[in-house]
Amino acid sequence: MKLWLLVPVFSLILTVCAARSPYQTVLQHSRIRGRQQGPNVCAMQQIKGTNKKYFTNCKQWYHRKICGKPTVITYECCPGYERIPGEKGCPAALPLVNIYNTLGVVGASTTQMYSERARLREEVAGPGSFTFFAPSNEAWAALPAEILDALVSNVNIELLNALHYHMVNRRLTSEELKHGSSFSSMYQDSHVHIHHYSNGIVTVNCARLIKPDQHATNGIVHVIDRVITAVSNNMQSIIDIDDDLETLRAAFAAAGLSTLLESEGQYTIFAPTNDAFAKIPRETLNRILGDPVALKDLLNYHILKQLQCAESIVSGTPMETLQGTSLEVGCDGDQMTLNGKAIITKKDNLGTNGVIHYISELLIPDSAKTLLELAEDSPVSMATRLFVDAGLSSYLTGSETLTMLAPLNDAFKGSVTMTPDLRKVMKNHILKQRLSSKSLYHGQELETLGGLKLRVFVYRNNLCIENACIAAHDRTGRYATMFTMDKVLTPPVGTLMDVLKVDDRFSQLVGAIQNAGMTELLNQEGALTFFAPTDEAFKAMPQADLSRLMRNPQQLSGVLKLHLGEGLLVSGGVSSHTRLTPLQGDKLELGVRNYTVYVNKVPVVDADLMATNGVVHAVNSIIKPLAPKADREQADGPAAAPPAVDSRRFRNDDLFEKVLRSHSSRTMNRSQ
């Protein structure tokens, strides 16, 4: 075939694939999974312990779960085919008969029986072209006895009207059942409402089509899982006449949202009942009801932008609300869930412009909460208690625009009691302005309620404020924002030299710095990272070698400058193979293993001692340059023990002279 002839063929194939409906896509996947069983066999997933079956998509096939419940695979004839004894699969097409007879062979024999009683048989067996959304036998059995009795006791009117509402006076295949469409039924032209979801599920008035596309000579049958009723009220009218939604009705009116509920659309409302409102502390509820902005956010948080019937949900899915954030709508067996909680007490109250699901708990979005309320449902309970104990409650419950830096519970070690010093610390965890982490930049200064200026450090893997890094997404409340921090903030109280002088672990290092003439360097403005050897590191050296080093200021300066990196790097900014350039030498390589930072294979024993001109990380060993081979092979954390060194390869020089000889040669090469 010539190339120019292939082009229209490929175009046709692409057009057909693009036009395939979600249901047809899932059906095709079920065909593929069932083809080893023979022709026209579809793989179905049946929830264990129930009669609920679904055509399977790729995700469900591998997870073998629907609504969190395990499934078993069954193989059935695909729509329109039947088995022949002795032959594999379903090789025969079902013979086309009229709708009345089709009802008897597709699991809708009860509908067939009621059609006979209501004198509808002549119509659905005669000439015409109809679509019949036929309730399954189980759907009729599930009707409350009083409703079923009322229908069948007046077969000429009530039952006939009910069946006519399940019919459309034209043939509609699943391809034509578009999402959001509606069609006039044969009962007073009342509309039936179609939703065709991306997961392949199709519903009519929120009843799932369980056996679609059962063709007949005079139309088509779609078997559905419940008996449907006419829809005539919009969502505002439904809420107006339901006494269980009295508080919600008043809230919608106060927020000016009644017009939305009367307008055209396809919404989903998770409607809190009166009891749901009553569970909220009176003070909190009154605050929200009296704040038009918070009230509107709260109500919009209960409304999805799209109509979502309960039967369309087969797993947890985030769905956007009118408030702008998402709810996770899911299911657990027969129960519909919100954010993982089974709080939906009544499903699928369908209106002309949406569907209402009743819930037993009020959903309060972050945007309607105070700082204290944000903290109460976060893993920062220890910090929350300390803020209150420090006398800062008014900031947590008030209307000032602030940002709270709340350390995780794990950041506090042991029991913590309030002291004057801790009160100052907590006050410095509240910033004077409302911020978003997305607006922070490197070098930015943030002022606290205590009057301190905190620095922002932006790293490839983290966003940090002083020694603490942001550990979770922002929580943005009504007036203020909460940043969850991985550590308690320790703002700087002096220069690098000041930090070392007040810490007894660095007494020998302070003397070495003074001997090397580096005091001014560690006191001047700048941004340095000091991997500071403790007294233990110096003690590990032979005394003669240490004495000789201390008498040679040039060598001593070279060794200390290898421990000083350019730039300020807190431990939270260290990732795999992070590099720093030392003030003397080639490079410092850092990594993290088991929550410990390593620099040139030496573990940091105490990190993030903050200074105004840098940060100190304590090490218990003297840092040495990495040899070229080790440089290539270094992984995060400690390396294997180094190979034994042949003493004949070296003169009896001390370690520092060997280290500094390499530094000196590099310096000479640069000067040449």
Side-chain angles (χ1 to χ4, degrees):
M1 185 182 292
K2 294 183 179 180
L3 182 60
W4 65 270
L5 289 174
L6 289 174
V7 173
V9 174
F10 286 132
S11 298
L12 178 61
I13 292 172
L14 290 173
T15 301
V16 170
C17 291
R20 177 176 288 173
S21 69
Y23 164 72
Q24 290 294 334
T25 300
V26 172
L27 178 63
Q28 180 62 22
H29 183 267
S30 291
R31 280 180 173 273
I32 292 170
R33 294 299 180 184
R35 61 189 174 190
Q36 290 185 346
Q37 307 298 318
N40 304 313
V41 174
C42 284
M44 305 286 289
Q45 285 195 269
Q46 181 174 352
I47 300 176
K48 286 184 178 179
T50 74
N51 292 322
K52 296 186 75 170
K53 296 179 182 179
Y54 296 80
F55 292 108
T56 178
N57 60 32
C58 190
K59 181 178 179 180
Q60 292 166 354
W61 177 264
Y62 288 108
H63 286 186
R64 300 293 168 92
K65 282 187 176 182
I66 292 175
C67 287
K69 303 302 180 184
T71 61
V72 293
I73 303 299
T74 63
Y75 296 96
E76 300 182 5
C77 292
C78 296
Y81 295 91
E82 65 178 349
R83 297 186 183 276
I84 295 178
E87 295 194 29
K88 187 176 182 180
C90 305
L94 280 170
L96 283 183
V97 293
N98 59 48
I99 285 179
Y100 178 82
N101 290 327
T102 300
L103 292 172
V105 296
V106 295
S109 57
T110 305
T111 301
Q112 184 187 49
M113 177 188 68
Y114 286 142
S115 297
E116 177 82 30
R117 286 192 188 180
R119 301 181 181 178
L120 187 63
R121 175 174 180 172
E122 183 177 349
E123 187 173 359
V124 295
S129 183
F130 309 107
T131 297
F132 203 147
F133 296 102
S136 67
N137 297 338
E138 292 80 3
W140 287 106
L143 272 182
E146 61 273 15
I147 294 177
L148 187 59
D149 289 344
L151 286 174
V152 299
S153 64
N154 193 348
V155 293
N156 292 328
I157 299 176
E158 297 296 339
L159 185 59
L160 179 61
N161 290 343
L163 292 173
H164 267 153
Y165 184 65
H166 288 74
M167 296 176 63
V168 175
N169 198 11
R170 55 180 281 203
R171 182 192 301 263
L172 295 168
T173 67
S174 62
E175 288 285 331
E176 296 167 287
L177 300 178
K178 305 296 184 183
H179 190 69
S181 60
S182 63
F183 302 94
S184 295
S185 74
M186 295 176 64
Y187 168 64
Q188 298 181 353
D189 286 334
S190 295
H191 280 69
V192 291
H193 302 270
I194 305 298
H195 291 90
H196 194 144
Y197 296 95
S198 59
N199 59 7
I201 288 176
V202 185
T203 64
V204 53
N205 288 22
C206 286
R208 180 168 69 95
L209 276 61
I210 55 177
K211 290 184 179 179
D213 294 335
Q214 306 294 327
H215 290 270
T217 55
N218 58 345
I220 194 167
V221 174
H222 303 292
V223 181
I224 59 177
D225 68 351
R226 72 181 75 164
V227 178
I228 61 176
T229 55
V231 176
S232 57
N233 292 328
N234 60 37
M235 292 191 294
Q236 180 63 50
S237 298
I238 294 172
I239 293 172
D240 281 343
I241 61 178
D242 195 328
D243 290 339
D244 282 341
L245 303 179
E246 183 179 357
T247 309
L248 180 64
R249 178 167 63 250
F252 273 127
L257 291 176
S258 298
T259 304
L260 173 71
L261 304 183
E262 295 169 348
S263 63
E264 292 186 5
Q266 293 286 299
Y267 300 110
T268 300
I269 296 179
F270 295 104
T273 62
N274 298 336
D275 290 340
F277 278 97
K279 293 177 183 178
I280 303 300
R282 177 54 56 184
E283 182 180 354
T284 299
L285 186 58
N286 288 342
R287 176 184 62 79
I288 294 174
L289 293 176
D291 181 345
V293 175
L295 179 59
K296 191 169 184 178
D297 272 0
L298 179 138
L299 295 173
N300 280 335
Y301 189 55
H302 290 75
I303 305 175
L304 300 182
K305 290 184 174 182
Q306 70 271 13
L307 193 152
Q308 209 71 42
C309 296
E311 283 298 321
S312 69
I313 306 298
V314 294
S315 62
T317 306
M319 297 184 184
E320 190 175 0
T321 67
L322 293 186
Q323 181 258 351
T325 56
S326 294
L327 292 172
E328 184 180 90
V329 183
C331 52
D332 182 11
D334 288 335
Q335 293 184 308
M336 196 175 177
T337 62
L338 274 182
N339 293 339
K341 300 172 71 175
I343 60 174
I344 296 175
T345 57
K346 180 181 176 182
K347 301 179 287 189
D348 294 337
N349 193 346
L350 190 65
T352 56
N353 57 346
V355 66
I356 298 175
H357 306 295
Y358 293 60
I359 58 176
S360 59
E361 291 184 15
L362 188 66
L363 308 172
I364 304 179
D366 284 358
S367 59
K369 292 180 179 179
T370 63
L371 273 177
L372 184 61
E373 290 162 353
L374 289 175
E376 284 173 345
D377 60 359
S378 298
V380 293
S381 57
M382 176 69 79
T384 305
R385 178 179 68 80
L386 292 175
F387 281 124
V388 173
D389 291 348
L392 301 172
S393 297
S394 61
Y395 295 105
L396 273 59
T397 58
S399 58
E400 290 188 60
T401 53
L402 304 166
T403 300
M404 180 171 72
L405 310 177
L408 289 164
N409 292 333
D410 292 344
F412 298 93
K413 306 302 180 186
S415 61
V416 182
T417 55
M418 186 52 58
T419 64
D421 286 342
L422 182 55
R423 186 171 289 108
K424 292 178 182 178
V425 169
M426 299 312 296
K427 200 169 185 180
N428 286 322
H429 279 72
I430 300 179
L431 305 177
K432 285 186 175 181
Q433 61 186 125
R434 181 175 184 170
L435 297 167
S436 163
S437 62
K438 293 180 180 179
S439 68
L440 300 181
Y441 57 88
H442 194 76
Q444 184 178 6
E445 289 191 337
L446 312 174
E447 188 175 359
T448 72
L449 290 181
L452 290 183
K453 296 289 183 69
L454 305 178
R455 298 162 296 181
V456 175
F457 305 116
V458 178
Y459 302 107
R460 186 178 298 277
N461 65 320
N462 241 331
L463 179 59
C464 306
I465 300 172
E466 293 298 340
N467 61 301
C469 300
I470 296 176
H473 293 297
D474 301 2
R475 299 285 303 276
T476 304
R478 173 66 178 92
Y479 299 103
T481 300
M482 184 179 79
F483 293 168
T484 304
M485 312 302 293
D486 64 351
K487 297 183 181 72
V488 177
L489 283 161
T490 55
V493 293
T495 65
L496 288 168
M497 198 65 189
D498 294 331
V499 170
L500 297 173
K501 281 182 176 180
V502 299
D503 194 323
D504 291 340
R505 294 174 297 175
F506 301 116
S507 58
Q508 286 193 262
L509 176 60
V510 170
I513 291 168
Q514 293 169 341
N515 288 347
M518 293 173 57
T519 302
E520 184 179 349
L521 173 66
L522 298 184
N523 275 324
Q524 68 188 19
E525 289 186 8
L528 296 172
T529 301
F530 198 173
F531 297 96
T534 62
D535 291 349
E536 185 176 330
F538 286 102
K539 187 178 179 181
M541 294 176 57
Q543 186 60 44
D545 295 344
L546 178 59
S547 298
R548 187 146 50 97
L549 179 67
M550 290 298 185
R551 292 194 300 269
N552 189 331
Q554 185 177 358
Q555 278 191 342
L556 183 57
S557 175
V559 170
L560 293 178
K561 286 181 178 178
L562 178 62
H563 291 70
L564 279 163
E566 296 177 358
L568 197 158
L569 179 65
V570 299
S571 61
V574 178
S575 58
S576 180
H577 302 297
T578 300
R579 291 188 176 188
L580 278 180
T581 301
L583 297 188
Q584 183 164 322
D586 186 14
K587 59 179 172 289
L588 296 170
E589 284 213 2
L590 293 90
V592 181
R593 187 171 182 180
N594 295 331
Y595 306 103
T596 299
V597 174
Y598 290 81
V599 51
N600 285 16
K601 302 179 182 295
V602 174
V604 171
V605 295
D606 192 5
D608 301 328
L609 308 177
M610 304 305 293
T612 56
N613 58 346
V615 62
V616 172
H617 304 298
V619 292
N620 282 342
S621 299
I622 300 298
I623 295 172
K624 302 178 286 295
L626 290 172
K629 183 178 179 181
D631 208 11
R632 292 192 302 270
E633 295 179 350
Q634 178 173 0
D636 291 342
V645 178
D646 186 349
S647 61
R648 292 172 297 180
R649 293 176 57 198
F650 301 100
R651 291 179 294 119
N652 189 23
D653 296 326
D654 89 56
L655 171 64
F656 292 98
E657 290 173 337
K658 297 173 192 171
V659 170
L660 293 171
R661 191 179 303 118
S662 65
H663 295 332
S664 299
S665 64
R666 293 190 185 100
T667 304
M668 290 175 62
N669 290 336
R670 294 192 189 104
S671 64
Q672 292 172 354

